Amino acid sequence: MEQNLIIYNTLTRHKELFKPQHAPNVGMYVCGPTVYGDPHLGHARPAITFDILFRYLQHIGYKVRYVRNITDVGHLEHDADEGDDKIEKKARLEQLEPMEIAQHYTNRYHAAMEALNVLPPSIEPHATGHIIEQEELVKEILNNGYAYESNGSIYFDVVKYNNDHRYGILSGRNLTDLINNSRELQGVSEKKHQVDFALWKKAQPEHIMRWPSPWSVGFPGWHCECTAMGRKYLGSHFDIHGGGMDLIFPHHECEIAQAVASQGDQMVHYWMHNNMITINGQKMGKSLGNFITLEQFFTGNHASLTQAYSPMTIRFFILSAHYRGTVDFSNEALEAAQKGYERLMNAFDDLERVPVSDHCDAETQQFVKNFRQRCYDAMNDDLQTPLVISYLFEACHLINTLLDHKTTIDSDSLHELSEAMKLFAFNLLGLKNEKGDNNEAREEAYGKVVDMVLDLRAKAKADKDWATSDKIRDALSEAGFEVKDTKDGVTWKLNR
């Protein structure tokens, strides 16, 4: 059955039916990390949000080219046009080459994404690998009269652009208010107006990362990379641009202005933004110093954590809220996510034990019949992952009811329920059963329990309580454990 996906477009502030420009091909660009520190929970949310979109678009028949960039140059310390490049600052602190910093934290980001079961993008371009494309973008904007040179740097003329178009179309900000709010800084910098943003910055003598250009030896502004790389790999018009809500202004607003100023119209049809992870109501982020890295979550090594939380618990926690809603961190919320995740995984184990009947109860049959499409309807409504999870919990309840022999199900219905649950939990929500990742620990636990039971059997035998001895052996056998009495003592193994 064909699925019609509706997504919320930040640009229009409405939900819209998704219609790709060149179906079945879909172009999607998502802003990736600035690689100057370990990935934290705030990085996990956009990665998981757009991983869900990537998975779902592919599942409903689209061929998706998913581009997610690596920012390894040009992102200045205060997300503005002053201060140090974030990666250069880290390199100086650690006395390393900037590319060592970028590579190290890119590797750390990839490892964390793999742990979270986030699929890799189709293309992962680096800003430093596309300096020429960014210079060409700057040339186009200059030639069209929407930029100016000042002391070897190039700035976007926001006021002139706003006279012909509208600056603030995505964020809803008013240019007059922006200018008034920045008046106290006027005359301090080399810009015409404080609202103007850098397209190219002349490098100061101490600046390590620098490239030749027609204007100066320098480096591109932060906003240029996504416009240049999006156009290179997805064309001058593509379907979806995503990222965190904190990027709406200034980053994505500037991207729109750059595209219109260079080619005359917008590049992107649908703008999608996930909301923030907060701690006590404040955005989690490196700049605020209130972040918890993903590795700290996985190990529990942070003062704010009462325990370690597995990657799938983190994924489940993020998916338990709609991507456009805020998620406030707390140990209580993560513990609830852990219990919810474990309940769902236990249900998959319990599916193997559900008794099959020749007759399927009418209510059960109706639930199974509607279950798959109910989950599709939730996904089609702007990726309502919390609803999908609630339907999966309803299926968990049904499984428990079946195990308690309070209702019946036939083999065809059980197969459909199992396949639909696996599709949405594993393929589309991207969860995986972590119990399968811990075989050694599990077998060690098995061993301790079996040895304890066999000690009880040995005591029964010593007391000549043959009935209890045989009962323990038979119970272990039914559970899949083969017990043998040998002249050297008792041996056992688990038959798989």
Side-chain angles (χ1 to χ4, degrees), residues 17-27 57 62 239 269-270:
L17 180 65
F18 178 64
K19 291 183 178 179
Q21 297 178 60
H22 305 291
N25 298 301
V26 171
L57 287 170
Y62 293 114
D239 300 302
H269 189 176
Y270 303 94

Side-chain angles (χ1 to χ4, degrees), residues 54 84 87 117 125 145 179 218 234 238 259 314 352 382 430 433 492:
F54 184 34
D84 292 334
I87 292 169
N117 203 27
I179 291 172
L234 299 174
F238 58 89
I314 298 297
E352 306 297 323
D382 196 30
N433 197 334
W492 64 270

Side-chain angles (χ1 to χ4, degrees), residues 53-77:
L53 180 59
F54 184 34
R55 288 170 182 269
Y56 193 62
L57 287 170
Q58 290 183 108
H59 172 70
I60 61 177
Y62 293 114
K63 182 180 179 183
V64 186
R65 177 176 289 174
Y66 175 17
V67 181
R68 187 186 68 207
N69 68 300
I70 295 288
T71 297
D72 54 1
V73 71
H75 194 167
L76 298 180
E77 192 176 358

Side-chain angles (χ1 to χ4, degrees), residues 36 75-77 82-102 105 203-210 219:
Y36 69 103
H75 194 167
L76 298 180
E77 192 176 358
E82 308 298 335
D84 292 334
D85 182 288
K86 291 182 176 183
I87 292 169
E88 278 211 7
K89 182 178 180 181
K90 186 80 170 184
R92 283 196 294 272
L93 284 171
E94 299 192 11
Q95 296 184 311
L96 295 170
E97 281 288 333
M99 284 299 101
E100 283 184 271
I101 294 294
Y105 289 113
Q204 298 304 309
E206 67 275 11
H207 204 91
I208 309 167
M209 301 169 81
R210 52 175 64 212
F219 56 95

Side-chain angles (χ1 to χ4, degrees), residues 304-320:
S304 299
L305 301 175
T306 57
Q307 64 174 78
Y309 297 99
S310 73
M312 286 303 102
T313 296
I314 298 297
R315 188 175 180 107
F316 191 91
F317 169 67
I318 288 172
L319 294 177
S320 296

